[in-house]
Amino acid sequence: MASKNQDGHHEAMIDVEDALSKILAVFSPLSTQKRDILRTNGMVLAEDIISGINIPPLDNSAMDGYAVKYENIQNASLKNPKSLKVVATTAAGELPYLTLFDNESVRIMTGAPIPMGANAVVPFEETGDKLNAINSKIANEVRIHTSSFLGQHVRKAGQDVKSGETILHSGTVLHPSHIALIASVGKAFVKVFRRPEVAILATGNEITKPGNNLQTGKIYDSNSYGIASAVLEAGGNPAIVGIARDNFESIEKKLNKCSGSDLVITSAGVSKGDFDIVKDVLSKNGTIEFHSVRMKPGKPLAFGGLNQNGKLIPLVGLPGNPVSALVAFEQFCRPAIRLMLGHKFVPRATITAILDDEIDNQDGRRIYARAIVYKKHDIYHVSLSGFQSSNILSAMAKANGLAICPENKPVIKAGETVTVMMLYWPSEVF
Ligand code: AMP
Ligand code: MG
């Protein structure tokens, strides 16, 4: 039976920054693909988008009302209305078929192109025609209750976007407003960086798939589910490979199913126990860069390349403890996924908050304490979300951030400020 690690990869524990830069060094934005814009929200644009048209395409009305020559109604008021002849009615989607002459008007709806000769729009509310109903009987005349100016309530052609203009640059993270903008210039497909395929493998003799009966001595697999959800949240496509048992053959067999992945994430089996053999499998079938990081939680963390048909697939071996797995995912896997997606800025945002509790750092590792950030009198405060052991998922589930105690700081006292890496931005807090 495989026992303690005999692979000779016992280099010293490395710093979080070193670990992150070693990991990020092997990733870059993935290949690009043309994609239906409806399926690009949150993805990163891989081309400049140039509009072939003006938006709006023609001068058009910003209001329901009357298209006029502003010169004809210069002194009009409620007391001294100006009567104009109504020569037509026009709605969005139609083309004006006539030219307006002096003292004429056209009943016009929002979005309808401005007739030739008109240069302003008077809203219904400023006229004697208050019905504002398209089906009401259209009078031959309308009384205008207000003066106007050149271009009032007229949306000029090209006001939003000009033909030939670059409306979005490669590298833009697409949000609903961007997707609307792309649609507005008539494009249905755009080039984006594809999503990474991320294989997720749980290891352990004790691990049971949720939904099944739990035998004595076993525990349910929470890691695969938390990691898969975190992969999704980061923008990757998670694929749960299953559960490998703590023996070389079982892990190797499952890992052989990951050849199509951009990243493999395993959990457990990377510390110093008798059955922690993920590292052994990796060193036989690939390379190990490091397997221990100066952080808490998350110290046992392996990173290397899994050899699949001559190709090295990056593998992050997360610790088994569920809190360690999620915290380490945040530090290393999420940035890698963001990088593959083409994001330029990959870390989580941090804030500074006043600490309610004390954080003790006994062994010079970087601590990521599970914490709840809240706002009081416009100042951020943060309190620890519960017992800080790396198996206490309930405290992780209460947290919206990770309060960071640096490696070289033995203690952060209550009342001092602390940097917090934000995991969620609950709107009731911010
Ligand atoms: P290990 O790294 O294998 O020593 O595991 C550390 C701890 O994490 C042990 O208490 C395991 O039972 C637990 N653990 C390992 N894998 C999982 C998992 N998939 N879900 C929940 N807990 C796990
Ligand atoms: Mg184990």
Side-chain angles (χ1 to χ4, degrees):
M1 180 168 286
S3 65
K4 285 193 176 167
N5 200 317
Q6 294 152 359
D7 58 27
H9 286 277
H10 285 285
E11 64 223 76
M13 194 158 48
I14 68 170
D15 286 341
V16 174
E17 265 74 36
D18 289 348
L20 185 60
S21 60
K22 279 194 160 76
I23 289 176
L24 292 187
V26 311
F27 293 98
S28 50
L30 296 173
S31 56
T32 61
Q33 57 181 194
K34 278 271 181 193
R35 218 171 150 91
D36 183 334
I37 56 170
L38 277 176
R39 297 171 60 236
T40 59
N41 191 42
M43 300 184 86
V44 180
L45 199 56
E47 62 177 340
D48 290 349
I49 305 292
I50 298 165
S51 177
I53 56 171
N54 280 326
I55 302 293
L58 299 170
D59 291 2
N60 69 93
S61 179
M63 301 292 284
D64 294 324
Y66 286 86
V68 302
K69 288 180 184 294
Y70 84 97
E71 300 93 331
N72 292 165
I73 59 168
Q74 262 175 353
N75 295 313
S77 67
L78 190 56
K79 284 200 179 123
N80 182 26
K82 167 82 191 209
S83 273
L84 297 177
K85 198 174 165 201
V86 181
V87 293
T89 238
T90 184
E94 297 175 352
L95 270 185
Y97 55 88
L98 50 71
T99 300
L100 208 68
F101 293 105
D102 263 341
N103 298 317
E104 289 183 347
S105 72
V106 165
R107 206 163 187 271
I108 193 166
M109 307 307 140
T110 303
I114 301 290
M116 295 266 285
N119 56 23
V121 171
V122 180
F124 282 132
E125 298 85 324
E126 310 276 358
T127 72
D129 181 358
K130 299 244 170 66
L131 281 175
N132 191 5
I134 203 159
N135 291 327
S136 67
K137 197 168 173 297
I138 297 159
N140 295 330
E141 284 208 342
V142 63
R143 274 174 304 153
I144 305 291
H145 294 167
T146 181
S147 60
S148 185
F149 56 82
L150 181 65
Q152 192 175 20
H153 301 307
V154 173
R155 305 190 290 211
K156 295 299 283 179
Q159 188 185 48
D160 186 6
V161 171
K162 295 204 170 35
S163 177
E165 185 183 332
T166 301
I167 54 168
L168 292 172
H169 287 97
S170 180
T172 304
V173 183
L174 296 175
H175 295 307
S177 55
H178 301 118
I179 293 164
L181 185 63
I182 295 166
S184 81
V185 303
K187 292 187 197 293
F189 289 81
V190 289
K191 209 195 260 184
V192 291
F193 295 101
R194 70 172 174 84
R195 295 188 188 282
E197 306 297 325
V198 183
I200 297 159
L201 175 65
T203 70
N205 289 340
E206 74 280 34
I207 306 303
T208 307
K209 191 177 178 207
N212 295 313
N213 282 332
L214 194 66
Q215 287 170 354
T216 312
K218 312 288 186 193
I219 61 165
Y220 283 123
D221 175 15
S222 59
N223 286 345
S224 299
Y225 295 80
I227 294 164
S229 304
V231 167
L232 265 182
E233 204 183 79
N237 287 331
I240 292 182
V241 178
I243 301 166
R245 298 309 171 195
D246 288 320
N247 63 75
F248 201 96
E249 296 70 31
S250 177
I251 296 175
E252 194 174 45
K253 197 170 140 202
K254 292 277 193 211
L255 286 180
N256 280 335
K257 292 186 177 162
C258 302
S259 57
S261 308
D262 300 297
L263 168 64
V264 178
I265 301 177
T266 64
S267 68
V270 285
S271 50
K272 298 196 168 63
D274 286 352
F275 301 100
D276 292 334
I277 50 184
V278 169
K279 286 177 289 180
D280 299 349
V281 176
L282 198 54
S283 59
K284 186 192 157 218
N285 296 327
T287 57
I288 298 185
E289 287 277 328
F290 60 83
H291 56 78
S292 182
V293 182
R294 190 167 287 112
M295 64 188 278
K296 187 182 175 180
K299 180 169 83 170
L301 186 127
F303 175 64
L306 182 67
N307 196 337
Q308 295 273 292
N309 314 319
K311 196 179 127 202
L312 278 185
I313 300 177
L315 183 147
V316 176
L318 294 176
N321 275 307
V323 175
S324 316
L326 286 175
V327 170
F329 178 95
E330 282 298 324
Q331 308 316 314
F332 305 114
C333 302
R334 189 176 189 278
I337 290 170
R338 308 290 282 174
L339 196 59
M340 285 190 275
L341 278 162
H343 288 268
K344 292 199 184 70
F345 187 78
V346 294
R348 290 276 199 192
T350 59
I351 58 154
T352 304
I354 297 170
L355 185 62
D356 292 339
D357 311 283
E358 183 167 302
I359 300 178
D360 285 309
N361 190 352
Q362 288 112 350
D363 59 0
R365 287 188 272 161
R366 182 178 306 183
I367 296 178
Y368 293 95
R370 279 68 74 197
I372 301 168
V373 174
Y374 60 96
K375 219 175 190 181
K376 206 163 86 184
H377 307 309
D378 267 346
I379 291 173
Y380 293 130
H381 293 255
V382 61
S383 53
L384 301 186
S385 65
F387 188 43
Q388 293 289 314
S389 262
S390 61
N391 58 327
I392 306 298
L393 255 186
S394 51
M396 180 75 183
K398 287 191 191 111
N400 57 18
L402 298 170
I404 302 171
C405 178
E407 296 81 335
N408 56 6
K409 218 169 176 338
V411 63
I412 305 181
K413 296 215 174 72
E416 289 182 358
T417 55
V418 65
T419 300
V420 187
M421 169 184 270
M422 295 308 298
L423 301 173
Y424 307 103
W425 296 89
S427 47
E428 66 271 23
V429 175
F430 300 100

